[in-house]
Amino acid sequence: GAGVSQSPRYKVAKRGQDVALRCDPISGHVSLFWYQQALGQGPEFLTYFQNEAQLDKSGLPSDRFFAERPEGSVSTLKIQRTQQEDSAVYLCASSFPSVSANTGELFFGEGSRLTVL
Amino acid sequence: AQSVSQHNHHVILSEAASLELGCNYSYGGTVNLFWYVQYPGQHLQLLLKYFSGDPLVKGIKGFEAEFIKSKFSFNLRKPSVQWSDTAEYFCAVNDLLEYGNKLVFGAGTILRVKS
């Protein structure tokens, strides 16, 4: 499709389990973002890639969170040893990279809803 | 740290009523401003954006927003809402210098329009 695709849409994990969330950005978009949206809150920035380079990971809440984008396209957000507080919707977004080509607009996927029991 | 504040978390209106959703941000530099909307069961999508120029910005579906620099505000308005405007609305700020390309979002306002 033409939009940002995320999978799985829903994931239930037992506490302590590892999970991996996948994002397929829009073709040609070199910037990719992960956001975390807790219930009743706005999206909170987690990390940012430009191509395969992770330029900003300041929003990752702990070292249990890890993101990669090895070939500059598909990205995976991995959460190790999940905790109940990790329950949230994880949003992926893509956009263009440079100021000159950058409208600033992010194109979002539908999100992956993680529930940790 | 930069922050975005949305004044109302829940708003209920009748159809044809006028809408104004407040948004204030905390950064004094040059910013780009956005309103995103999330309809039930759908992904976040751009409603309108302000980069420069005319501070009154018009977006899709009859929405508009006014950037008032002196008040650090970017309020969203619509003269007459429809039932289909029921959604959650997020204000966001993008500071290209300090934060690279990322958006900082407010907590959102849930709008319910009664038919």
Side-chain angles (χ1 to χ4, degrees):
Chain A
V4 177
S5 177
Q6 292 187 247
S7 61
R9 289 290 313 281
Y10 303 92
K11 175 70 178 177
V12 178
K14 292 183 180 178
R15 193 175 60 173
Q17 192 175 357
D18 296 349
V19 299
L21 308 176
R22 176 189 168 103
C23 173
D24 276 280
I26 293 173
S27 177
H29 282 192
V30 299
S31 291
L32 185 145
F33 302 79
W34 284 99
Y35 281 81
Q36 180 190 58
Q37 186 175 15
L39 191 63
Q41 301 295 319
E44 297 273 351
F45 171 80
L46 292 178
T47 187
Y48 162 54
F49 289 86
Q50 187 166 318
N51 294 307
E52 70 279 2
Q54 190 173 19
L55 299 185
D56 188 342
K57 54 181 180 180
S58 61
L60 296 176
S62 77
D63 59 7
R64 296 185 295 103
F65 286 71
F66 172 75
E68 60 182 6
R69 195 186 184 198
E71 297 178 359
S73 178
V74 171
S75 177
T76 303
L77 176 67
K78 297 179 180 178
I79 309 172
Q80 297 176 323
R81 304 181 303 282
T82 52
Q83 304 293 316
Q84 284 188 323
E85 61 262 28
D86 300 334
S87 295
V89 176
Y90 291 86
L91 298 170
C92 178
S94 68
S95 78
F96 295 103
S98 66
V99 173
S100 62
N102 180 25
T103 65
E105 177 178 358
L106 298 189
F107 296 84
F108 284 86
E110 293 184 329
S112 292
R113 182 179 296 276
L114 172 64
T115 302
V116 182
L117 303 178
Chain B
Q2 191 170 33
S3 67
V4 177
S5 175
Q6 292 184 237
H7 309 307
N8 306 97
H9 196 57
H10 285 92
V11 173
I12 301 173
L13 294 173
S14 298
E15 276 193 308
S18 64
L19 170 71
E20 180 159 4
L21 302 182
C23 173
N24 286 89
Y25 63 96
S26 66
Y27 184 66
T30 300
V31 293
N32 298 330
L33 298 156
F34 305 80
W35 276 96
Y36 277 80
V37 60
Q38 187 167 26
Y39 297 103
Q42 296 187 25
H43 61 276
L44 277 165
Q45 55 190 284
L46 184 69
L47 198 56
L48 49 78
K49 62 190 178 189
Y50 171 80
F51 275 32
S52 63
D54 188 344
L56 184 61
V57 178
K58 295 195 183 296
I60 61 172
K61 303 186 179 184
F63 285 90
E64 64 179 31
E66 184 175 12
F67 170 52
I68 304 179
K69 189 175 181 179
S70 61
K71 295 185 177 180
F72 299 93
S73 71
F74 189 56
N75 292 353
L76 181 70
R77 300 195 292 249
K78 185 171 183 178
S80 175
V81 295
Q82 300 173 315
W83 178 80
S84 58
D85 293 325
T86 294
E88 189 162 15
Y89 294 80
F90 295 92
C91 181
V93 173
N94 180 350
D95 171 15
L96 292 174
L97 294 179
E98 185 173 350
Y99 291 95
N101 208 20
K102 70 186 182 191
L103 295 184
V104 177
F105 285 86
T109 298
I110 298 170
L111 171 66
R112 186 165 78 87
V113 179
K114 300 184 294 183
S115 58

